[in-house]
Amino acid sequence: QKEVEQNSGPLSVPEGAIASLNCTYSDRGSQSFFWYRQYSGKSPELIMFIYSNGDKEDGRFTAQLNKASQYVSLLIRDSQPSDSATYLCAVIPNDYKLSFGAGTTVTVRA
Amino acid sequence: SQTIHQWPATLVQPVGSPLSLECTVEGTSNPNLYWYRQAAGRGLQLLFYSVGIGQISSEVPQNLSASRPQDRQFILSSKKLLLSDSGFYLCAWTIGTSGSHEQFFGPGTRLTVL
């Protein structure tokens, strides 16, 4: 079983809609959770992190964490063409090392 | 503010040739440093990490090695490249002391082995 799993997509949403990205993880002791955005040919960029159960909002992005279900999600509201990218979920199981999912590719169509 | 540099940005090397990729971090001290590889269309694979000068942990057995000669310098090397070494190599850093563990990535080096 992979440590971090994401739907590979592609996820296609119309401009202005909500994009919903899901991620599950296997290590129940994980404490820190991150979402990165990676444009084609570029390095990953940290956009959100969350440590506690519940929701965390930052602009058009909302991260949701449910440790009991071992589930973390990212919502992108009012999706824009500039949001078209691959979104990587990452988890720290128990030490300094991040474990990454394979990523979900999002396409926002105008 | 902290910045992370990697060079070269792109590299084309023949099979069997040596490799040296460099990463430097500015604006912080005693960072944890990481090397990742991302194959085309794939996720990030952690190759090495370092919590201090001369301290290297290897995650994946392979023909690559890493060194940390200075606090803010991390080098990835190979004596003989394989075709399978092609990929996007990313250096990342995080704060060394206990904290939020957010990792920040450099711009990457795209390596093509022919």
Side-chain angles (χ1 to χ4, degrees):
Chain A
Q1 181 187 9
K2 294 181 181 178
E3 289 187 11
V4 181
E5 298 207 46
Q6 297 180 248
N7 292 331
S8 61
L11 175 65
S12 180
V13 299
E15 186 174 357
I18 295 175
S20 178
L21 308 174
N22 303 320
C23 174
T24 58
Y25 58 95
S26 60
D27 191 321
R28 186 169 288 279
S30 300
Q31 296 295 322
S32 305
F33 308 87
F34 307 87
W35 283 100
Y36 287 81
R37 176 177 62 199
Q38 187 175 23
Y39 292 115
S40 180
K42 302 296 184 181
S43 62
E45 172 192 12
L46 180 65
I47 56 172
M48 289 286 289
F49 57 88
I50 186 167
Y51 306 128
S52 303
N53 277 329
D55 295 359
K56 179 182 178 182
E57 186 174 318
D58 184 1
R60 294 186 296 110
F61 298 100
T62 299
Q64 299 174 318
L65 175 61
N66 184 325
K67 290 186 179 180
S69 299
Q70 296 174 239
Y71 173 93
V72 58
S73 65
L74 179 71
L75 300 177
I76 307 173
R77 292 183 303 281
D78 188 24
S79 296
Q80 302 296 310
S82 60
D83 295 325
S84 296
T86 297
Y87 290 81
L88 304 172
C89 173
V91 174
I92 294 185
N94 54 12
D95 52 20
Y96 302 115
K97 298 176 289 184
L98 276 178
S99 181
F100 283 86
T104 299
T105 300
V106 173
T107 301
V108 180
R109 54 187 193 274
Chain B
S1 64
Q2 301 89 358
T3 56
I4 180 169
H5 303 278
Q6 286 187 247
W7 62 89
T10 59
L11 192 59
V12 180
Q13 292 284 97
V15 169
S17 64
L19 174 73
S20 181
L21 303 180
E22 190 164 342
C23 168
T24 59
V25 181
E26 296 178 357
T28 187
S29 59
N30 196 31
N32 291 339
L33 296 172
Y34 306 81
W35 278 112
Y36 292 87
R37 178 172 59 204
Q38 187 175 37
R42 304 287 293 277
L44 289 165
Q45 179 186 32
L46 179 63
L47 302 175
F48 301 94
Y49 72 96
S50 172
V51 299
I53 296 174
Q55 301 179 62
I56 307 296
S57 295
S58 174
E59 290 295 301
V60 182
Q62 57 212 325
N63 67 319
L64 299 173
S65 62
S67 62
R68 186 169 176 176
Q70 300 180 42
D71 181 46
R72 289 170 286 179
Q73 184 184 30
F74 205 21
I75 297 171
L76 182 70
S77 303
S78 174
K79 292 182 179 178
K80 288 186 177 182
L81 284 168
L82 307 173
L83 286 174
S84 57
D85 291 325
S86 293
F88 192 34
Y89 287 81
L90 292 156
C91 181
W93 73 275
T94 191
I95 298 170
T97 57
S98 62
S100 57
H101 304 299
E102 293 115 73
Q103 282 193 16
F104 301 94
F105 287 86
T109 295
R110 191 162 303 279
L111 171 66
T112 303
V113 182
L114 301 175

